[in-house]
Amino acid sequence: MTMTRLISLLLAGFLALAACTDTGGSGQLGSDGKPLPKVYRIRGDASKLQFRMLDSVNALRQASGLGVVQLSPELNAAAATHARDMSVQNRPWHFGSDGSSPIDRARRAGYTGIFLGEAISETYETEVETLAAWMEEPGSRSVILDPKAIMMGFAWFQENNGKIWWALEMGS
């Protein structure tokens, strides 16, 4: 087999494979071969998103036979502080850049009830997708479905690239 013929066969094979590729606007692929996430942009009134999350959490709680929770301005403030701070630190974890714990942040924000727990996330997904992911994780699920919870705080920080840092706080 001549070199020209071998190169021609290889080129024909590559072209045939390229013709099988989906180019129907599915976007770019990540290093894992899966489509990159679409950027979810949070727009409009922040309180509407907070109340959508509150309604979703309360629906899950009621389906589990638990009482509903109400939004706490203090826990909302603690969640907002932590969401922005996680972005600054560029990592989702429960400690602030100043070493503060979730309890410390709730107290600083003026919350006088008992702090029960925190769920956090770094994602490009919607609040509903994030809540679904939290419900799949035992630790976050137990925070959201804590029978002692009567108050909730929820906030986020969205970076210019679309990444969202979510924080949900529960208290009694």
Side-chain angles (χ1 to χ4, degrees):
M1 185 180 280
T2 67
M3 182 62 93
T4 305
R5 189 169 176 194
L6 179 61
I7 291 173
S8 297
L9 283 173
L10 287 173
L11 183 58
F14 286 127
L15 290 174
L17 285 175
C20 295
T21 303
D22 175 22
T23 58
S26 62
Q28 297 178 335
L29 298 179
S31 60
D32 60 359
K34 295 180 181 177
L36 291 174
K38 293 183 182 186
V39 175
Y40 169 62
R41 291 280 176 198
I42 300 173
R43 302 190 195 301
D45 185 4
S47 66
K48 287 183 181 179
L49 193 141
Q50 285 178 315
F51 281 108
R52 280 198 311 266
M53 179 61 89
L54 178 67
D55 289 344
S56 298
V57 166
N58 279 333
L60 291 167
R61 290 179 60 82
Q62 287 178 313
S64 297
L66 300 170
V68 298
V69 295
Q70 297 178 355
L71 282 177
S72 159
E74 296 84 7
L75 290 177
N76 283 344
T81 298
H82 193 53
R84 181 175 292 276
D85 191 45
M86 286 188 295
S87 172
V88 169
Q89 296 182 71
N90 196 34
R91 63 178 167 183
W93 76 323
H94 296 283
F95 294 96
S97 56
D98 62 356
S100 62
S101 71
I103 295 169
D104 296 333
R105 291 188 299 277
R107 291 286 172 255
R108 283 185 202 158
Y111 187 69
T112 57
I114 298 170
F115 183 84
L116 298 173
E118 175 179 73
I120 57 172
S121 182
E122 164 198 20
T123 183
Y124 291 89
E125 296 177 331
T126 68
E127 67 280 1
V128 173
E129 292 169 309
T130 301
L131 179 58
W134 282 337
M135 292 303 288
E136 292 294 321
E137 197 277 312
S140 297
R141 181 182 178 86
S142 69
V143 167
I144 293 164
L145 298 180
D146 190 321
K148 296 180 293 289
I150 59 170
M151 302 302 283
M152 181 182 101
F154 176 68
W156 62 92
F157 178 76
Q158 186 164 35
E159 296 178 354
N160 290 335
N161 66 5
K163 184 189 296 184
I164 307 169
W165 301 86
W166 301 102
L168 181 141
E169 320 290 335
M170 297 297 265
S172 69

